[in-house]
Amino acid sequence: MTGIDDEPRILLIDDLRSFADGRTAAVARTSAAGVALLERYRGRRVDELWLDHDLGGADTIWPVVEVLERAAFDEHPFDIGVVNIHSANPAGAATMAQALRRWGYRVRLAAGSPDVAYRGDPTATT
């Protein structure tokens, strides 16, 4: 039997990119899917959370950031080792980092990181 404890502890929320090395991760391609993914991990350790700012069309990461902020405001922040912001949008990345750091999340700006790349089917989720 498999359950959430067997699932990857790395989450990626990005509309187009995946991990260049093919590492196992739970992936969401929209903000709504990102919020649902976070909810699956509420109360559980996440080693790495990778966030892109622009998620296609008018969709952005802000609904996800708001869930993280609300959890911290309610004194139940998500247990995340590090939030990696790999967005190519410098203004969006800086604003995300500022918001999440304000609530005590450990944030690393990772724009241009070789860890994420455009590859595979951008609509696929795992």
Side-chain angles (χ1 to χ4, degrees), residues 8-10 41-48 79-82:
R9 300 301 179 134
I10 300 171
Y41 282 85
R42 189 176 291 275
R44 299 187 186 276
R45 172 73 175 181
V46 172
D47 296 320
E48 301 173 22
D79 181 10
I80 300 170
V82 63

Side-chain angles (χ1 to χ4, degrees), residues 3-23:
I4 195 162
D5 290 328
D6 300 326
E7 293 179 9
R9 300 301 179 134
I10 300 171
L11 311 182
L12 171 69
I13 304 173
D14 190 307
D15 59 325
L16 298 172
R17 287 171 279 208
S18 296
F19 285 107
D21 62 5
R23 76 185 75 166

Side-chain angles (χ1 to χ4, degrees), residues 12-17 27-30 52-57 59 86 118 121-124:
L12 171 69
I13 304 173
D14 190 307
D15 59 325
L16 298 172
R17 287 171 279 208
V27 179
R29 300 295 186 191
T30 66
D52 184 22
H53 183 276
D54 303 310
L55 300 175
D59 195 14
H86 63 275
Y118 298 99
D121 178 2
T123 62

Side-chain angles (χ1 to χ4, degrees), residues 38-87:
L38 273 182
E39 291 299 334
R40 285 180 36 208
Y41 282 85
R42 189 176 291 275
R44 299 187 186 276
R45 172 73 175 181
V46 172
D47 296 320
E48 301 173 22
L49 174 61
W50 290 76
L51 301 177
D52 184 22
H53 183 276
D54 303 310
L55 300 175
D59 195 14
T60 70
I61 200 67
W62 286 104
V64 173
V65 172
E66 290 169 0
V67 167
L68 294 165
E69 288 178 309
R70 173 51 93 181
F73 176 81
D74 290 341
E75 299 182 5
H76 298 289
F78 283 83
D79 181 10
I80 300 170
V82 63
V83 178
N84 294 289
I85 298 174
H86 63 275
S87 178

